[in-house]
Amino acid sequence: MSNIAANNPETPQSTPISKPLENLTLHDEKPKTPLGPHGFTSDGSKKRILLNAFDMNGIGHTSVGQWQNPTDKSKTKNTLDYWINLAKLLEKGKFNTLFLADNFGSHDVYQESHAPAIKAGAQWPLYEREKIVSAMAAVTKSLGFGITSCTTFEPPFLLAKRFSTLDHLTRGRIAWNIVTSWSDSAARAMGLEALPEHDERYVIAEEYLQLIYKLWEGSWADDALVLDTNTSTFANPDKVRKIEHRGKYFKCVSAHQVDPSPQRTPLLFQAGMSPAGAAFGSKHAECIFIGGPNPAFVGEKIKKTRALAQSQGRNPSDLKFFISFTPVLGSTDEEAQAKLQEYLKYSILDGSLAKFCGISGIDLAKFGLDEEFPTDPEHPTLSHLSVKQREVLTNRPDGYESWTPRILGEWSAIGGSSPFQVGSGEMVADELERWIRIADVDGFNIGHVVVPQAWVDVIDFLIPVLEKRGWLGNSNEYSVPGGTLRENLYGTPGDSRLRASHPGSAFKFDVLQK
């Protein structure tokens, strides 16, 4: 294996993708196999598939370089107009949630420098994501908002106050994507030399959740808010408990400052699939983001995680699994392929590699740009990588027989590292059904190449097909219009609080021990 250094002149500094990849169109030949047992409810009907719009308040979220494309409006993400118009569009288009990813620091693994990421606009710049939610909530009634926040960098008391406030302002349409961070760049931005060790981050997160459940579920009784002008009593102090938590990582002595919000605990998302992450997610998460190179690989992870949840006393069907998926849509397959070729003109290879390396922690500049990755995870040239990193490099996507840094960068230029499909609404719906049938997924984080046109195309070309095929529920819209996000997730009115088998329910006011 060659070992190209970051400053080697053979490593291009800003190489656009100049030719179409044949690999990007290999999905046309998938066999039309009938749906298996996955995708159906116990009564034999199709389960309702949930759709999230996957965005980030910044440039170059998943498709680096598209800020150069005249169709793309990501340069206006620092305005409220972008987000207000997007929220109206998504609600009208029957999306369930706008999911907002986040990151701290810059991607500085590739070539051991942040320069390629900054030059290409690879998740740079990034703006704060919570400030925009209230404006979007004001112009919608049912659209949910998923917000990524990290347990490693922020005191639980502050996060609990902020999310309870947002849950009030949105009338219960807030979700928290729980992350522990994966980037030493983020740690350095927060004043740390490096992140705590991987599994320790989940130990920290476990205590974080114990404290935050006490605040959200156990500090206020349901009837603590009195608003009695006759006795000048706003809240009954006997029904507002001061939480006293003194743990290894966190200390807090205070009542929760916010009265109970519609959901109390926001809907909980989580994405870690390492052994520690899967154990944490199967215990706490209601929705799990999961990824992998193909449906069979992902299906095994989903099966194991559901079993793990059941072993912890939870109903495995309470967990909803989502994959990220990026469609490139047109009224015909040919029109969609033409869009793809247009998008590829604006992609920046170094920016895509910088983003991939920043997220994976693997500096692909140490490999030859056209050098094949080993297929064996135990290959000695991968010995310096973690088990997860080896998995990333050796489990190539379906249809790829050649797998090099250049091809990986070109592949991740469209929708990041998530699966994608190019074609008409019918063809994309076929691919979604393949993931449902094989992997047993419950929903999709719909990614984008250009914004907001990507979601306009989903609404115009894909939603009608999914409706016709019966994947969006009998009502063809939210199951509980105007309801909380948790009600809309499970499709049951009144189901706005944590379910009884969820560990957070043990911290409710009437069961929490003083």
Side-chain angles (χ1 to χ4, degrees), residues 26 34 45 74 82 93 160 165 194 198 221 256 278 281 354 372 374 442 448 463 506:
L26 285 178
S45 62
S74 62
Y82 172 87
T165 302
H198 177 274
H256 185 35
E372 288 285 341
D442 301 287
H448 57 83
I463 293 293

Side-chain angles (χ1 to χ4, degrees), residues 388-406:
K388 176 63 176 177
Q389 290 171 331
R390 295 181 200 183
E391 183 179 277
V392 167
L393 289 185
T394 57
N395 285 286
R396 62 193 63 185
D398 285 354
Y400 283 77
E401 295 184 2
S402 183
W403 198 231
T404 68
R406 186 191 302 276

